[in-house]
Every structure is written in structure tokens, then in C-alpha cells.
Amino acid sequence: MNDNNNSSFKRVLNTRDVLMVAFGAMIGWGWVVSSGQWIQTGGAIGTAVAFCIGGIMIYLVGLTYAELTTAMPKSGGEQNFSYAAFGSIGSYVCTWALVLSYIGVVCFEACSFATIMQYLIPDFLQGYLWSVAGFDVYLSWVAVAILASLLIVYINYIGTKRAAKLQNILTCIIAGVGLLLVAGSAINGDTANLSSQPFVGETGGGIFMNIMKVAIMTPFFLFGFDVIPQAAEEINAPLKRLGRLMIASIGLAVVFYAMVVVAIGYVMSPAEVDASMQDTGMVTADALAKAFSNQAMTKVLVIGGLCGIVTTWNSFLIGGSRLLFSMSKSHMLPGKFSKLHSEYNTPYVAILFLGLLSIIAPLFGRVMLVWIVDAANFACCLAYCMVAASFLKLRKTKPNLTRPFRVNHGKTIGILATIMAGFMALMYLLPTTSCALTWQEWIIVGGWALIGIVLGVRSKMLYKDNFASGMDIY
């Protein structure tokens, strides 16, 4: 093993790899299991509108990311941006929050992988262990999640390029399955289905609130483009193109989600959507089966969703491990996280740590999916708000900073991105909102903050003036 903290990554990712890593992260598994819930909450057209609203926020934040990433193409991304703008403490808060959001996705995918096996294997749940918040945890469920975690960790452990190759293949499969649904719906759908469920609500105000209920969830399903800054030192592509790829990946993901929910609403009536939700909850799979008048097509879509789990899981394991590596390299976290493998040149300790958390998560059962999504979503919005604010401040304090990808109307874009991301984060804190954090989610957020404080104080005392040092951000 290599204990050299100054070791650098190899530039092994090309343009296609970058786009597939980001796009694959954003179109993972959520569209398979959550589309029915979205349509019931906001309507088919309303959900598409909600993703456009969420997409606008992500797009604005993405523009700030694109400029900052090309100006500071170093591993760690947000850590570097926030450090340049707000110093070591601001950088620590921003990066630690983002690590939670990445961990949330990794744990979410571990639980999702086990959940999807229930739809592929008859009598899958065997060996009752215990119950958590009303959900029964089975040995078979936990075992599959752990085995999947070990496989994903191994793939990332032995090399970033290998992980990227897997990502390319699986992302193409997901996109193909999604387009299959859209094509089948276009041929065999009925406008009467869509016209009977465009929106949910009796009044304009009610419709708007229901759309916003969906919109507030969209960041969790749309963040993933920010994996690119984490792997910036491993990308072999012109900087200006890197910024464009980030924006392109966001646009592709929004279009994909909108097409899928409209296709479902076009091929299934409200009654059929409700029946599917009460039965398996796999509305997207049932929609594909109806579109082709073949129940076996549900398996095709579920397999596509399985690929989606792996792509998202893979992307965020790459991103999360690079964040931990960068924080450790700058003496914000224990030095072990910045070790690179002597043969594979991967941050193996950080990868193993995230893998361990993904192994623990399934022990809490499927209820962990809900808790971790909300906690991670809040952390993500908070980090996005700080990045947007960093963009604004650096436009003022570092006007001469080389920016290969420069955003037009930067001040306006920065203000809008900061306000929208801040508003999204605030919605999780206000007890009167429909998406306010529950006490279990507060434990996750509060516990993570406490761990961050302890580790931050320890690093500050241990490294003193070297805390946040060595960040060659320009």
C-alpha cells in the first residue's frame, strides 16, 4: 500500500466516461420505484413540471459548478470552492455536508438493491431477523445487500477506469429501457389517461402546492453531476468541455424523468396507477407491461432499474471517496483516508469506509430508504447553497481568476442559485412544511454534525496551522 499523501491520480477518464458517470448517477433507480408516488402527488404533467422546477435549480447551481470546476480542477471540488471563498471552516462545513449526501445515496442504493430482488425472485424474503419501524428485516434481504456492496466496493477498489467502463454499459441499458417505455406508451397509450390525471388538486393553489411537494424531492434524484468535480484530477478532457458536460448531463436527466412520467400517465389510467401502487408499488414496470401487452416486460424494466442502482451507487462511491481523500489530504480528516493504493492508484481506505456504511445500512431495513433520502437531500441542498454563495463571492474577490468556462450574467445566476438552494434546504428545517425532517432524520443529521465537529476539532488540535493546508486550488 502507498502511504504517500502527495500521490496524484492518473487521468484515465475520457469525455464519454465523464458524461456517463454524471448522467448514470442522476437516472438511477428512483424513476422505477418512485414514479407512482410522484404522479399520485402532483399528477403526470405536474410531476414533469416539478422536475423542470427542480431542474432549473440544479441547472443554476450546475452553472456555478461548471465555472468553479474549470477554474479549480482539483480533486475535492466543493471543498476547494468553499475554501477559496470562506476559508477553512466554511470549507469544512460545506464538504462535510456533501459527504453526508453522498453517503446517503450509497446507503440508499444498498437497500434498494435488496428491495428490487423481491420483484425478480419469488419468495425472496427468508429468515426473519427483526423489525424496524414496522418493516420486517430478513436474512436474505440483508445478505443480498451486503454481497452487492462488496461487489461495488471491489470494482472501485481495483480502479477508476474499470468502474467507468461498467458505468458506460449499464447507463446505456437504463436509457434504453426508459426509451422503450416511452416508445411503447406513444404507440399504445391513450390521451384520455393523460387528460384525467394532468395535475392533482381542486384549486390553483392546491395544484401548485402538490407540484412543489414533488419539486422539493427532485434534488435527490438530480444531483450526480457534482461527481465530476470530485474526479477532476482523473479526467483527460479540455476544461471548457468539462463545464459543458456537467450542464449537458443535467439537461439529459431532466428530459429523461419528464418523458418517463408523461409516458406512464399516457399509458395508465389513474385507477390503474392507484391499483399498482397498492399492489407492488412498481408503477413504471406495470406501465411497460401494459404498453407492450406483456407481463414479462415488468422483469425487463426491473432489470433496467437494477442497472440504475449500480450506476448511481458506483458514481457516488467514486465521488464520496474522492471527497474524503481530499479532506484527509488537506489535514481536515485523519490521514488514512488520503492513502492511495500502490497498484490501483485508488483511495482504498475511503472506498472501504463507504463500503462499510453501505453494509450497515440494510440492517435497518427498507425504512432506512426514507430516512436517508431526506437527510441526504437536506445536506445536498445546504452544500449547493454554499457552492453558489462561493461562486458569488469569488466573482467579486477573485475577478481575475482564470475561468475556462465562464457563465454569462454571473451575478444574477449566482443569486438565483443561492436563493433556490437555500430555500430547498430551509424547507427541511421548518416544522410546518410537508417535507420537514422527522426525529429519526434529525438523529442522522445531528449525529453527522456532531461527528464532524469532533473530527474537525481533533484535526485542528493535531495539525494546528496545517489544518486545511496544501490545498493547491489555483
Side-chain angles (χ1 to χ4, degrees), residues 254-468:
V254 171
V255 170
F256 181 86
Y257 278 112
M259 288 174 61
V260 165
V261 293
V262 171
I264 294 171
Y266 192 60
V267 79
M268 295 182 74
S269 68
E272 289 171 328
V273 171
D274 292 341
S276 179
M277 284 294 291
Q278 292 174 10
D279 184 15
T280 63
M282 301 286 286
V283 174
T284 314
D286 291 335
L288 186 62
K290 185 182 178 185
F292 287 91
S293 301
N294 188 339
Q295 194 61 29
M297 294 301 289
T298 60
K299 302 296 185 183
V300 173
L301 192 125
V302 170
I303 291 172
L306 195 64
C307 294
I309 291 175
V310 176
T311 58
T312 304
W313 200 346
N314 190 47
S315 293
F316 282 91
L317 192 56
I318 292 173
S321 60
R322 272 57 179 180
L323 272 179
L324 291 172
F325 169 86
S326 183
M327 291 186 76
S328 174
K329 190 175 180 181
S330 59
H331 305 298
M332 288 183 170
L333 290 179
K336 291 185 179 296
F337 287 113
S338 60
K339 288 184 177 181
L340 293 179
H341 197 281
S342 58
E343 180 181 355
Y344 304 124
N345 210 53
T346 54
Y348 67 96
V349 176
I351 290 171
L352 293 175
F353 172 72
L354 293 176
L356 177 62
L357 294 179
S358 68
I359 288 173
I360 294 172
L363 299 176
F364 292 90
R366 195 163 60 187
V367 70
M368 176 60 78
L369 293 176
V370 178
W371 296 342
I372 203 70
V373 163
D374 288 340
N377 219 355
F378 164 71
C380 171
C381 292
L382 176 62
Y384 282 179
C385 182
M386 293 191 70
V387 169
S390 299
F391 170 87
L392 272 177
K393 185 169 182 180
L394 291 175
R395 270 296 185 96
K396 183 177 181 179
T397 59
K398 301 286 184 181
N400 297 323
L401 178 65
T402 301
R403 295 170 167 88
F405 182 96
R406 187 177 181 87
V407 176
N408 294 325
H409 310 293
K411 185 175 181 180
T412 301
I413 295 296
I415 291 173
L416 289 175
T418 304
I419 291 174
M420 292 188 74
F423 173 76
M424 291 283 194
L426 186 63
M427 292 287 281
Y428 286 95
L429 300 179
L430 297 177
T432 55
T433 64
S434 60
C435 56
L437 296 176
T438 64
W439 68 266
Q440 295 96 335
E441 293 156 1
W442 271 114
I443 288 176
I444 295 174
V445 172
W448 187 250
L450 182 61
I451 293 172
I453 292 171
V454 171
L455 290 178
V457 171
R458 174 191 175 277
S459 295
K460 184 67 174 176
M461 293 176 64
L462 180 63
Y463 299 116
K464 297 181 173 58
D465 292 341
N466 287 326
F467 181 81

Side-chain angles (χ1 to χ4, degrees), residues 219-265:
F220 184 82
F221 299 99
L222 288 174
F223 75 89
F225 69 90
D226 51 313
V227 172
I228 294 177
Q230 317 316 330
E233 291 184 41
E234 298 167 83
I235 297 172
N236 184 23
L239 291 176
K240 191 170 184 177
R241 185 187 303 168
L242 195 59
R244 290 172 177 169
L245 288 172
M246 294 177 69
I247 302 305
S249 67
I250 296 170
L252 287 172
V254 171
V255 170
F256 181 86
Y257 278 112
M259 288 174 61
V260 165
V261 293
V262 171
I264 294 171

